[in-house]
Each structure stands twice: as structure tokens, then as C-alpha cells.
Amino acid sequence: MDTPEPVRPAVHVPVLLDRVTELLGPACAADGAVLVDATLGLAGHALSLLGAHPGLRLIGLDRDPEARAEATARIAAAGHADRATLVPAVFDELPDVLDRLGVPEVQAVLFDLGVSSLQLDRADRGFSYATDGPLDMRMDTEAPLTAAEVVNTYPAADLARVLRVYGEERFASRIAAAIVRERARTPFTGTERLAHLVRESIPAATRRTGGNPAKRTFQALRIEVNDELGVLQRALPAALEALAVGGRIAVITFHSLEDRIVKQTLAAGAADRTPPELPVRLPEYGPVLRLLTRGGEAASEAEVAANPRAASARVRAAERIRRAA
């Protein structure tokens, strides 16, 4: 299959760029250090770290062929092609990728979760509720499940569950019932019709606040189509296991479900597991991680003003301080 031509957005603004570069910088400074950008996207964070650390090697993972094509072009234009290996993979495939490349451990891992600018800005990818496009939402364009299939085939109870759990949508049952009623007349094929239906299904008083009322439904469908939370739950422990002592991980999330998974995983690694009945702490049960952030750090007001997509972003980071016994 031919590599797709890069589709270049006019502007790409990586979220929390300075803070991520600061958090991961110490782990990337040594010659031969390896950074895994597990959600490469348009390579904004990776380019910043490659530019700051001339001895750094990048392994970039992304399931989206358009994103990989654009990232390849950007990295080559910056003169870093000889230090970058880009792999078509979902980030829970990290252990297999490192095994194939013969890399036993890495010094830094970055996850920038959610939808990339390339995906949001392309109406034909179906991620945006603001412009009409096909109901697709696949990050991997060759994956079998599309948003149209979810919307047109899931029973009402399953649809409501997806919207309630993944979108945290209060009116999940009302929206699901309306979808089932309308698809019986004509199946859904485009984002505009679905966004309109969601808006009409939500009480008028609720529609006046909180932004576009379709946001939560589109988030839920995207998570379901791409198994985003399942992939994250599998990928985080694998990424932590791959970290060398002194290695660092940073994770940018965009909604509470992702952030909760990251918070719990990092907190577990930073906890002392000495049995409570013992009078002293045992070193072999001590923490394997040191938290580098206090909670989920948000973007500054200035960054949000310049890049509204940063408004919901949170970053958490940790450093591996020892290997588990």
C-alpha cells in the first residue's frame, strides 16, 4: 500500500510543549538516550526534544498513516531523520515494537492522548462535530469498526452505556433512544445529522452552557471505536516496565476518564507496599516511581488563550527510581 501524501495543517501547536520538554529533558540529555513518543501525531513534542538533545534517539508510534507521513516530513525537514524510527503501531504494542528493534529499555516515554490536530481538522475523518463529514472516527483508517457502525447497529442499551460511561453524558438514554428511532427511518452516515440530533435531544436549558452539546457524544463514540481506554490500561504498565532507572514518563490527558487511569497507575508505582503489620518499611516493597507533578498540571492561561484545545489538557509525570524486586 502506498504511503499517503502528507496533509499539512497550517499551524500545529503542541499542547503543554514547554512543560513536557522540561519534564522529560533530564532523561533525554545523555548521548544514546531513547525517547518513545507513543502517540507521535504531528511530532511536535518529539521535534522539541530532538532539537534540545542532539544525542537523543526517537521511536515514534502512531496508528494513523496520514500522521506518520506528516511526522516523517517534519522530522526530515528539521534534519533529524537519522535519529528517528517511526512505527505503524497502537501504543499498547510497545513491548513488541521494542523487542523487534532490539531495545531492552528506554529513557523517556510520552503519551499525548486524544485526537491530533490533523484528525480534527480533516472533516473526512469524522472526528469533528463542527463540520460535516462521514461518521468514521477511526485513528487507524484500516480498522474495522467505525462510528457509523456503532451508531447504526448497537442496541439502545449499549449505545446509552457508551455515551454515559465514555462521554459522561447525563442524557445518554434520551440520546440513544433518539438515535435508534431516527436510524430506523434512515441510517446515519454523516456527523452533521448526528450532532443536530444530539442537540435536539438535550433540554434547552442545558444546551446554553458547557459548549457544543455534541462534544460528549462524539468523545464517547471515538473512545469506543478506538478502544482508547482499554489501550491505555494495557499500555501504561508496559511503558513503565520499559523505563530504565532514571527514566521518565509524561502523559497528557484530555478528559477525566483518561486522567483517572493515569493518576491511579502512577500513584500505585509511587506507593510503599510494605505490609502494614510490619514495624519498618522494607526496601524491596518501596516505591518504584517518584512523582514529578503535583496532580494533573493544567496549561497556563496564556497557552489556553493561544491554543483553546489546551483548555482540558492535564499532564502527569513520574521518574523510575528503582527496579521492582
Side-chain angles (χ1 to χ4, degrees):
M1 182 177 177
D2 293 337
T3 301
E5 287 294 318
V7 179
R8 299 179 184 276
V11 177
H12 172 53
V13 184
V15 171
L16 291 162
L17 178 62
D18 292 343
R19 185 58 174 140
V20 166
T21 303
E22 177 187 16
L23 286 166
L24 294 183
C28 296
D31 283 349
V34 177
L35 162 69
V36 173
D37 189 333
T39 50
L40 184 66
L42 299 181
H45 297 97
L47 282 169
S48 176
L49 287 161
L50 285 168
H53 305 288
L56 180 65
R57 175 186 171 192
L58 167 69
I59 299 174
L61 279 58
D62 206 296
R63 68 177 99 182
D64 187 330
E66 293 181 359
R68 288 197 311 276
E70 174 62 22
T72 298
R74 289 173 181 264
I75 291 169
H80 305 313
D82 60 333
R83 294 192 282 136
T85 303
L86 307 192
V87 183
V90 184
F91 48 79
D92 64 348
E93 299 175 62
L94 176 59
D96 291 337
V97 171
L98 295 181
D99 186 59
R100 292 200 306 269
L101 296 175
V103 178
E105 60 182 17
V106 303
Q107 283 64 49
V109 179
L110 171 64
F111 292 90
D112 180 4
L113 304 173
V115 187
S116 75
S117 300
L118 177 64
Q119 292 160 341
L120 279 173
D121 294 339
R122 285 283 301 272
D124 62 346
R125 299 298 299 275
F127 288 96
S128 176
Y129 44 78
T131 55
D132 195 26
L135 264 178
D136 193 317
M137 300 194 193
R138 292 174 296 173
M139 293 182 180
D140 177 354
T141 54
E142 296 184 1
L145 184 64
T146 66
E149 184 173 349
V150 174
V151 168
N152 290 315
T153 67
Y154 276 28
D158 288 343
L159 266 178
R161 172 188 56 79
V162 168
L163 301 186
R164 182 173 55 254
V165 175
Y166 294 158
E168 301 178 290
E169 174 56 73
R170 282 192 298 152
F171 302 101
S173 295
R174 289 178 61 160
I175 295 169
I179 287 172
V180 170
R181 183 173 60 250
E182 287 300 311
R183 78 188 187 194
R185 298 176 182 143
T186 307
F188 286 85
T189 59
T191 57
E192 186 176 51
R193 180 182 169 213
L194 178 62
H196 178 75
L197 177 73
V198 172
R199 179 179 178 83
E200 294 303 308
S201 301
I202 292 176
T206 304
R207 296 200 301 260
R208 297 190 190 105
T209 60
N212 193 307
K215 178 180 180 179
R216 293 180 295 276
T217 291
F218 274 61
Q219 171 185 295
L221 291 173
R222 192 198 77 224
I223 290 173
E224 174 72 7
V225 166
N226 298 289
D227 187 26
E228 291 179 30
L229 298 185
V231 171
L232 180 60
Q233 287 172 320
R234 295 187 292 273
L236 272 179
L240 292 172
E241 182 61 27
L243 274 184
V245 174
R248 293 185 169 199
I249 184 171
V251 187
I252 302 172
T253 63
F254 289 86
H255 58 77
S256 61
L257 300 174
E258 294 172 338
D259 187 58
R260 189 177 307 135
I261 292 170
V262 177
K263 175 183 177 180
Q264 292 171 349
T265 302
L266 297 186
D272 185 281
R273 296 176 295 107
T274 300
E277 64 272 15
L278 296 182
V280 295
R281 292 184 176 181
L282 301 179
E284 62 267 31
Y285 287 98
V288 298
L289 299 177
R290 177 173 68 90
L291 301 182
L292 301 173
T293 51
R294 299 188 65 178
E297 293 186 5
S300 67
E301 291 183 5
E303 180 174 354
V304 173
N307 180 14
R309 289 176 182 169
S312 59
R314 300 291 183 272
V315 63
R316 295 179 185 268
E319 178 181 15
R320 177 175 282 284
I321 55 177
R322 72 174 185 90
R323 279 281 169 197

